[in-house]
């Protein structure tokens, strides 16, 4: 059996919120920040933010506690196209309690699967969450997609 360990489940209302967020029509940056309710062993909503830049988002994250973020980002490509990738960011700052880190790390895959996301990033220092960092991470996906589409064009 290759099932991964699931430490915490995802709250039902959060599953629905993530589904709606995935299909949102707004064109601004937005984030859903999630935390673990240790007593209930559930990933729950911490905060919802609209019109927030990556630099503003980092100010919303606790410096010594892990968080999960689903972030809808308005990405301006070099060729002028605009896309709105959904990113999963796991913030696990250095200095967190080991018990907390284990609960979050053990719950991450289940949450990523539930949210059906493929752009998964991790930061160990909240100060690293900048527009430049996010564009660099997303650039990898756009370059891979560009290369794949070039291969199929020939």
């Amino acid at each position: 059996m290759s099932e991964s360990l699931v430490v915490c489940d995802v709250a039902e209302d959060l599953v629905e919120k993530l589904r709606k967020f995935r299909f949102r029509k707004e064109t601004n940056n937005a984030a859903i920040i999630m935390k673990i309710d240790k007593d209930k062993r559930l990933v729950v909503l911490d905060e919802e933010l609209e019109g927030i830049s990556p630099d503003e988002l980092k100010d919303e994250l606790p410096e010594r506690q892990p968080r999960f973020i689903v972030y809808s980002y308005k990405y301006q490509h070099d060729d002028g196209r605009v896309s709105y990738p959904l990113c999963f960011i796991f913030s696990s700052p250095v200095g967190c309690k080991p018990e907390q880190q284990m609960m979050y790390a053990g719950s991450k895959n289940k949450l990523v699967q539930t949210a059906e996301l493929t752009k998964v990033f991790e930061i160990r220092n909240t100060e690293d969450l900048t527009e430049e960092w996010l564009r660099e991470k997303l650039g990898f996906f756009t370059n891979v997609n560009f290369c794949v589409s070039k291969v199929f064009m020939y």
Side-chain angles (χ1 to χ4, degrees):
M1 290 202 284
S2 64
E3 286 186 43
S4 60
L5 172 71
V6 176
V7 176
C8 298
D9 278 320
V10 183
E12 284 301 317
D13 59 334
L14 181 57
V15 171
E16 181 61 21
K17 188 170 289 295
L18 289 168
R19 189 188 67 70
K20 286 181 180 174
F21 191 75
R22 183 177 178 80
F23 296 108
R24 68 193 284 274
K25 302 286 186 230
E26 293 81 6
T27 58
N28 62 335
N29 294 346
I32 292 180
I33 301 175
M34 297 155 283
K35 63 182 180 181
I36 289 180
D37 182 325
K38 192 169 78 173
D39 298 330
K40 294 180 182 176
R41 289 196 168 285
L42 276 179
V43 179
V44 297
L45 177 68
D46 185 23
E47 208 174 347
E48 276 185 277
L49 304 163
E50 289 283 334
I52 187 163
S53 72
D55 294 302
E56 294 166 329
L57 179 58
K58 78 176 168 199
D59 294 335
E60 297 294 324
L61 300 175
E63 289 182 30
R64 300 251 185 269
Q65 294 178 3
R67 287 295 184 268
F68 299 121
I69 303 111
V70 175
Y71 189 52
S72 176
Y73 176 67
K74 184 176 181 177
Y75 184 81
Q76 182 83 35
H77 297 266
D78 293 337
D79 62 5
R81 292 176 298 122
V82 176
S83 62
Y84 300 90
L86 274 182
C87 309
F88 182 91
I89 303 168
F90 174 33
S91 171
S92 181
V94 175
C96 294
K97 295 177 184 172
E99 173 192 331
Q100 265 188 325
Q101 285 182 329
M102 287 174 52
M103 283 186 85
Y104 276 80
S107 303
K108 181 183 104 174
N109 288 342
K110 168 82 172 176
L111 186 54
V112 167
Q113 289 172 348
T114 300
E116 299 178 34
L117 298 173
T118 56
K119 294 168 184 68
V120 180
F121 312 124
E122 185 171 332
I123 57 171
R124 298 285 290 161
N125 180 347
T126 55
E127 290 302 311
D128 292 343
L129 182 54
T130 63
E131 187 123 17
E132 182 181 335
W133 175 85
L134 186 59
R135 290 187 62 77
E136 180 182 310
K137 295 290 187 185
L138 289 170
F140 170 77
F141 285 94
T142 58
N143 289 337
V144 167
N145 289 340
F146 178 74
C147 291
V148 168
S149 65
K150 288 288 259 186
V151 168
F152 287 115
M153 286 174 61
Y154 293 108

